[in-house]
Structures are given as C-alpha cells and as structure tokens.
Amino acid sequence: MASKISIDATFRTLCKRSAQLNHRSIFVLKGTDVEQQVAVLYHLLHKASTDGSSTVLWCHKHNADLPKSSRKAMKVVGKKIKSGEVDHSELKLLDILLHAGVVKFCSYGATQSVLGNTYKMCILQDVECLTPNIVCRVVETVQGGGAVVLLLHAMQHLRQLCNMDMEVHYKLTTHSHPTVLKLFNNRLALSLAWCRSCIIADSDMSASASDIHGMNYKGISLPSSSELEQQDEATQELTKIQEELADAAQPLPQLAQLCKTADQARVVMKLVDVITEKRPGSVVSVTAGRGRGKSAALGLAVAAAVDLKLTNIYVTSPSPHNLTAFFQLLFEGFDALNYKEEEDYKVFKSTNPDFAGAIVRVMVTRKYRQIIQYVLPCDYNKVQHPELFVVDEAAAIPLPQVQGTIGEHITFMASTISGYEGTGRSLSLKLLKQLRRQSTRVEQRIDAKDNSWDVHELHEVSLSRSIRYSPGDPVEEWLNKLFCLDATSASNPTTCPAPSVCQLYAVNKKVLFSGNKGSEQFLLQVQSLLVSSHYRNSPDDLQVLADAPAHHLFVLMPPISQTNIKTLPPVLCVVQVCLEGGVSETVARRVMRKGERPSGDLATWMLATQYRDPNLATLVGARVIRVATHPDFQSMGYGSRALQQLQDYYSGRLVNLTTVQEQPQDLSDDEERADLSEQLAPKYQKVPLLFRLSDRLPDNIDYISVSYGLTHQLFTFWARAKFLPLYVGQTVNQTTGEHNCMMVYPVKRGQEDTEALPPWLSELCPEFVHRFTGLLFGPLSSLNAMLASDLIRVHNPHIQPQKDLQWRDVECVIKGHDLRRLGNYSKHTASRHVITDLVYYLAKWYCKQRFPQLQLSKLQAALLVGKGLQNKEWLSVGTELGLKPEATLGNFSRAITRIYRVLAALQESMYTSQVATVVPDLLQPVDITAEQDLNKLAQ
C-alpha cells in the first residue's frame, strides 16, 4: 500500500497563488526517486487550477531511462481498476498519472516540435543535456497557473549542479583549450534565488532554502485583493473592445472574438484599418517579446485581407515552420468568416523534405481566385505584383532582404525584439529608423522605368501582454534576467568622447559571471550591444561566452576621468575573440588525411584544408567573432578604434612590463572540493572586472582572423584595418544570400619592417588571387564587380611577379593581328565587340600583377574585372557601379588604351632587340658629322 506523503504547506500556497494570478512557478526536486514526486505536484496544480487543463510535457535526453510503462501494462492496470481487482492506494502515484494519458514525452532534440503548444506542467530531467535555448523553448509552452519542474536526480546539494559536466561542453573545447570553465552552471544555480515563485525541495517534499544564499519563501502567500483586481481589469478590457466591435462591419467583429488579449485585439484592428485604406507603400511594424501573439495577429489580419478581396498575398519567414501559429489563426479566422476547407479554400503542403510537410500555399476560390503563398526570404525579388507582403520573425532575416520586401504595396512586419528565437534589434534600430525618416518627410521614390511613385507611411504597434500568462509573471522575469533576453532595456551612454581617447579593456569572465549585482549590470550592457549588432541571437551564445575557455571579451570605454567612478562606465564597443590553432603537425596530417573537419578552430582548419598545408594548423590565431558598437555611436570610429587597440595589444605594442599583473590562477579544482554543506552564494572576487591592456600580457599568436558574410561595407571596414582575404566561399548562405569571407591580419612582434609579410602569408597571397580570379567566371560571378576588384587589389602590394612580362609570353595568346585590334579600338576606329575575346586575358594579367607599371583607377579596374573575369554584359557592369552608359564605355576605353600602350611597348622592345642582333655592324657609331660625310661624298 502506498505510504502517505507529508507535503510542506508552501507547495499548496504557491500552486494556489499561481492559479489565481495566472502566473507560473518553478519546483526544483533533488535527491533519489524524485520522479515519483511529479505526480504529487501534478495533483496540487490540478486541484488549484480553474481551467481544467491537465497536459504534461516531460522532456528528456535521447535513450533516457524514462518512468513510462508499456501500453500493454497500462491496459492491464486500467482493466484491474475498472473491475475493482486493484485499489488506487495500492498503485504508485506516478503510475496513476501515466495511466491517465496526459503525459507527452519529448526528447530535447525534438523540442522544436512543441512550439505553439500549451502545457500545464513541464518536467526537465537529465539536466546535463539542457541548453539555454532548450530551457527557453520549453518553459515558454507552460501556461499561467502551471509549473516548471527541474529533476536533479541523485543530487544532495545544488553545488553539485555547478560542477556538472554538460553534454554541450565538448563542443566548446578545442585542441589547445580542452577544459571548460563551467561558469554558466554556477550562474544558473544562483539565479533560482532571483525567482519569486521558486521552491527547492528534497525527495521527501520538504522545502529547503539552505542551498542558495538569499533563497526564502516569505513572499509566497495567497494573492491580495489588489493583485486580483489587476487580473480582472485586463479581462474586462478585452471584453469591452469585443463589445464595441460587435456592431462593426465584417470581418472585425468575428476576428476580435478570436483575440486572447486586448493588445492583440488593438493590433488586429490597426492591421485591418491599413488593409481597408489600401494605401500603396504603407508599412506596419509589429514588435513584441516572445509569446505575445504577434504571428496570430498576422494570421487574423490575412484572413481579413482575403475577406476584403486582396488577391496576391505573400508571406515570408526564416522557415515555413515558423508560420505554424500564423496558419492556425488564419484557418480559425476563415472558420469565423464561414469559409469551408475544400469548398472555399484549399491548403497545399511542401514536398520539400527539409520543410517536412509545412504549409506553403493556401488558394481561396470562394468568389474568385485568391492566393496566400510562402516564399523564402532570399527569393523576395521573384515576387510579382503583390498586394500584401507579410514578414514574420523579421529580426531573424537579414536586413537587406527585409528592405527588399518593402515596395508599392502594403507590408506587415512582425519582429521578436526580446525572447529567444531569432531575436535582434537590427530591424528596429536600422530599418525602422530609416522608415521613420521617410514617413516624416513623406519621401517619394521614383522608378526610372515607368515613373511610378510611392509614399512610405509607417505605423508602429507593439504587444506587451503574453497570451499564456498574465503580466508580472515571475518565471518570465527569471528567464529574462538569467539569459539577458531583455537586453534592449540597457541604458544609453551619456558621453561621446573622441575615439582616440577611448581605451580597450580585457574583461575577467569569472567576475563577469559571478552573480554580483555590479557584474550583472555590466553583463546586461554587453549583451545589449551584442544583440543590437546581429540579426539573429540565441541564449546559447551566452553559455558559449561563459564556458568556452578560448573565448575572450574586450570592451571599449571612454576615459575613466570622464565618467562617475561610483557608477559603471558606459560600454561603447564590445569585441569577442576566440583563440584557435596550435594543433600539432602530426594531428593536422592525420585529420587532413582522413578528410575530417573537427569542431572549433574555424579559421585554423579552413586555412589548412583550403591550402592543403598541415603546417598552417600549427599557427595560433585569434578569431574576431563580433565587433559590436553601440547603436547610437555606429559609423563614428569606435569600432575601428577597438580593432586597432586589439591589433596593438596582440602585437605587444601596448604592454608595460613595469605594471604587468599576474594572471589569476584557475580555482576550479578548489571549487570542486568545496564542502557540499556550504551555502552557494555570489562570489566577491579579489581581482577586478576589467584589466588595462598595458597590465596584461597578450597571448602569443601569429595572426588575427575574422569570418563574415561578404558585403562591400564590411570588407571595406576590415581592409582598412589591413586584413587580407584568404578565402571566399563558393556557395551563398541560404539565409543571408552572402558568400562567406575569411580575412587575416599578421601579428608581428619586435619587427621594424611592419609592411613585410611573414613567409607563410606571402606564399598564400598569390595563391588566393590565382584561385579567386578563376572562380569569378563561375561560382563568384554574381559578386559586385567593385567588390571583386577590391578583393584582388588589397593583395597587390604583397605580390611580386616571378619575372617581367615579355612579348613572347603575350604572343602565345595575343598575336600581332590581335594587338592591331586593340590599337584600332583605342583609336576609336573599331567597336568594343571586336576585342571582347581578348578582355579575359588582359584582366587576368592585370590582376596577377603582370603589368607592374600600369596604373588604372578603381572604376577602370572594376570594369575590367566585371567584363573580363565575370563575363558580365558591358553596360550591366556600369549599372552595378552606378555609371551611365557613356561613362561606362569611356572608362573602359581608357583602360584598354593604357593596356594597349604597355603591350605595344613590349612588342617594340622585342623587335628592337632582334634588329640589333641581326645587323650589328650597321649600327656602329662614326667619328664624323653628317655634314662632313655629305661634303666628302660631293667631292
């Protein structure tokens, strides 16, 4: 017979409080056989619940030891219970819960499939397999009044969680950095004290507050009358909006009944108003945190657009799987408007195995043909005659592609500005800023072909209330603080110093992730810049920064004298660096022989495998992962200043040997030997958070590298810092539509000749140019001609031709008749089509520095590369460069004329030497003048 369990009253109080306030709670169960206590918590939640929801999500690792029983055993138990052969008291509580069929088991690798679903309870076992992104993903599925249960099997103290080896740790190690730091686990354990609705319990269900400093349960009590009134006000607000719209024209009344919050109802009203006006160029931006129902609002708005007779509607998102909630509410809207599937509309699913049967098209045939079509973000330019363009998860799409969706039609954009999936502020900080400026001055955009014009009108709406739980949810606040999801709230700097007086500082990661109040505020500043600089971010990035031993952080700040010493100095720029390389030659040869690609050491293995040289893997490099400048101070020189200081630091030009401090020793072994009875608390480190670069010895490295999506703006930034390109990917990224580019900067210590390259790099420069020029005709033909020319030109000072170009080398390809063709074109007596077949050879020789004395302008070189090496049309190259047809042909003619003069001089010098060799006696000097010679002949 099952024994009775004595439950702490705090559990019941928290369950009742969460149910009445529609908030969530966290339960941490540690000890042995903690799985059996899940049923007890389920019973408490179900008893306190008022909505009757009872589904449970049980997450586990792959091939985990699960408590579920077979279907056959459950059927046997069910028959015995119905027949009265067995009493409920004789069964374990967990068996009864499993028999009820409310538990859904899901492995951590398949948690993407639960997005959009709602559960009463989420159970997380096998915590060693957890990642920040998984935690955010599954916790977001829990509704108000529910709970998140963390099972710490066989743990007696939360300090054991801090020293646990996580499954993801092996991905964070490299050949030269095999030991992880485990800083994130410590912060995770400390963060439990931040949550106002968290209870830590032993296996006997007794609440324990002794594991973590600051953990107490005094705030857990039944809600007051004022707190309950706030919940009723939110419900009454939505009801009031629905009643006001009851007499409105279709489709607003029907769609308003499907809204979950007042915020969502107001957004749907705004979207329907814009659709009704049908004003060309209107843009509506919907911004919200995760789980606010913005995708659902877009789905309802598209249902209204169909009812209002819009015919061509296009929808895009990073993947069709992101549109699950969109299509779900679209179909619910159709149902509310009396549209019937198969009769009024048909649904088409993708046959692409990568999309796994996701919906990609809806065709409406009620009155006439209307279509809702999904397109990939990179295919925005293939859309024809759209009336409405919907962009969901716009923050996860590259900014140029989002800009391409805006035109002479209505555009709806939804962006997650805080949360975990595809977060980023590049949309709100860059695109919306541009649209606000255009909308304010009512900017007209003229189309050169048909003289059409459109006026951009921007409408900005936001959602603040979650559809699953009420505002002020303690679990949401805990997630936001733990993973810095709400990093957009960081304060702005109040000073704008000159970049030359700003200094770069190294950040001590142990102090940064120690859990202290000051370090937490500084971490929020850093994450705010990292989120704003990148179009896609993830909580996993925070764990990589904390635990990866090869990752280092640098911040650029104004002079301390210009700031208040009592407050944290403002961060103007953040540089994240990863140390790579140092692989032994034996290991490198073995890896290359097997054709493997180990994780980590991105730049190291890229160089070694591309140039087939294992010695390159032995070099040590520092790869710049991100350079994030504060959004209010971009394009003002702070990023360049930070990069310059980083180069000087690794080159040893900033180190002051008289003030160098010893590096703090690794205390991880002492931490693992700490007494389990000792309370876990934030550590007050004796070492400072920031180090001056002059007080810190740099790592001994051979180069600084960077890998990024190739654009002209980014290339110009890195080329200005004297980085040299060594690799350009042949395929484009499916999300960004950009080629990957890797550049390196050689680090030279104690060398006076700073312009000379190290031997290993001087050998790679001509090899890169040789390969790159060959690829421009094929995989890289779509590159901008000026960008392709610049990629070659930065190598020119470092490439020395093995021998001077002679006419006999030229004559193998260009004969005397071909040279006459070039001469006729340079004298404007022949058209450009006469020399088309020769341009390839001329461009190739020029790019390989075979004409060392030839000087062409940047435009002329770009035209030569675009036509000769990329085989583009004559005038299309000029259009890329922003030139008119006359300027294009004029610059090209001047370039060919200069090349012709060089070739003609080579031919002339060759024939001159031949004449001197054949008749040497006729060319002997004489000792009389021409007049004396004539007089002599006359006599």
Side-chain angles (χ1 to χ4, degrees), residues 185-477:
N185 283 7
N186 182 75
R187 189 167 181 270
L188 173 62
L190 290 173
S191 69
L192 295 175
W194 306 341
C195 184
R196 295 178 284 109
S197 62
C198 175
I199 294 180
I200 302 175
D202 297 321
S203 57
D204 58 356
M205 295 298 289
S206 59
S208 172
S210 60
D211 285 20
I212 306 176
H213 174 74
M215 192 79 186
N216 65 77
Y217 308 125
K218 296 180 181 180
I220 299 178
S221 60
L222 294 178
S224 62
S225 58
S226 60
E227 291 176 323
L228 294 175
E229 288 177 0
Q230 293 178 358
Q231 303 301 318
D232 295 336
E233 290 176 1
T235 305
Q236 293 173 2
E237 185 180 5
L238 174 61
T239 304
K240 183 180 179 181
I241 293 176
Q242 293 173 341
E243 291 176 353
E244 291 176 351
L245 295 175
D247 298 331
Q250 186 174 323
L252 263 181
Q254 295 84 349
L255 299 181
Q257 295 298 323
L258 298 176
C259 295
K260 302 295 184 183
T261 63
D263 283 350
Q264 194 178 49
R266 283 190 286 266
V267 168
V268 172
M269 290 170 57
K270 184 63 179 180
L271 296 176
V272 174
D273 288 344
V274 173
I275 294 172
T276 305
E277 293 176 0
K278 295 183 180 180
R279 187 174 181 180
S282 297
V283 178
V284 183
S285 170
V286 183
T287 56
R290 181 68 190 173
R292 265 54 181 176
K294 58 187 178 304
S295 298
L298 293 179
L300 295 175
V302 171
V306 171
D307 195 65
L308 294 173
K309 302 179 181 180
L310 295 188
T311 54
N312 294 332
I313 302 173
Y314 293 91
V315 186
T316 186
S317 68
S319 169
H321 296 295
N322 299 112
L323 297 174
T324 302
F326 170 85
F327 282 112
Q328 180 181 349
L329 268 295
L330 171 66
F331 298 145
E332 290 184 14
F334 281 168
D335 294 339
L337 297 172
N338 297 321
Y339 283 72
K340 297 181 180 179
E341 189 174 357
E342 298 298 336
E343 182 178 341
D344 296 324
Y345 68 93
K346 295 182 179 179
V347 179
F348 297 89
K349 296 184 177 181
S350 175
T351 57
N352 189 337
D354 295 336
F355 295 159
I359 299 174
V360 294
R361 180 186 298 175
V362 178
M363 185 177 295
V364 182
T365 57
R366 188 174 191 175
K367 296 180 180 179
Y368 44 85
R369 185 176 178 272
Q370 297 170 282
I371 188 170
I372 304 169
Q373 177 67 52
Y374 170 80
V375 294
L376 289 170
C378 57
D379 294 335
Y380 68 91
N381 54 353
K382 299 179 181 179
V383 174
Q384 296 182 352
H385 309 296
E387 294 181 69
L388 174 62
F389 209 124
V390 180
V391 184
D392 198 7
E393 295 296 350
I397 301 175
L399 194 59
Q401 296 179 8
V402 179
Q403 289 175 321
T405 62
I406 301 174
E408 298 177 4
H409 51 263
I410 302 172
T411 306
F412 293 163
M413 296 186 298
S415 171
T416 305
I417 57 173
S418 64
Y420 69 91
E421 185 181 9
T423 62
R425 289 196 292 163
S426 62
L427 178 81
S428 59
L429 293 170
K430 298 177 183 177
L431 178 59
L432 294 184
K433 183 178 180 181
Q434 174 186 348
L435 294 179
R436 289 189 198 106
R437 185 171 61 252
Q438 293 180 357
S439 179
T440 301
R441 64 187 187 188
V442 197
E443 180 181 73
Q444 296 184 359
R445 187 174 62 184
I446 306 297
D447 187 75
K449 294 184 179 179
D450 55 8
N451 294 327
S452 61
W453 60 275
D454 63 326
V455 178
H456 290 308
E457 183 178 6
L458 177 64
H459 306 270
E460 295 184 70
V461 291
S462 60
L463 293 162
S464 59
R465 184 183 175 95
S466 174
I467 60 176
R468 289 190 177 92
Y469 44 84
S470 299
D473 178 55
V475 175
E476 182 184 34
E477 295 175 357

Side-chain angles (χ1 to χ4, degrees), residues 36 123 142 149 285 337 702 861 884:
Q36 297 299 325
I123 302 167
V142 180
V149 182
S285 170
L337 297 172
D702 299 290
K884 295 182 179 180

Side-chain angles (χ1 to χ4, degrees), residues 546-601:
D547 292 349
H551 284 240
H552 299 274
L553 204 61
F554 299 87
V555 292
L556 184 75
M557 295 188 299
I560 302 298
S561 58
Q562 296 185 17
T563 62
N564 187 355
I565 300 178
K566 297 182 180 179
T567 61
L568 288 171
V571 179
L572 301 176
C573 183
V574 178
V575 182
Q576 186 178 354
V577 173
C578 176
L579 297 181
E580 298 179 334
V583 182
S584 65
E585 185 177 355
T586 304
V587 174
R589 291 185 182 277
R590 183 176 68 249
V591 170
M592 294 178 61
R593 185 168 57 250
K594 294 181 179 180
E596 299 175 349
R597 184 66 180 271
S599 60
D601 293 328

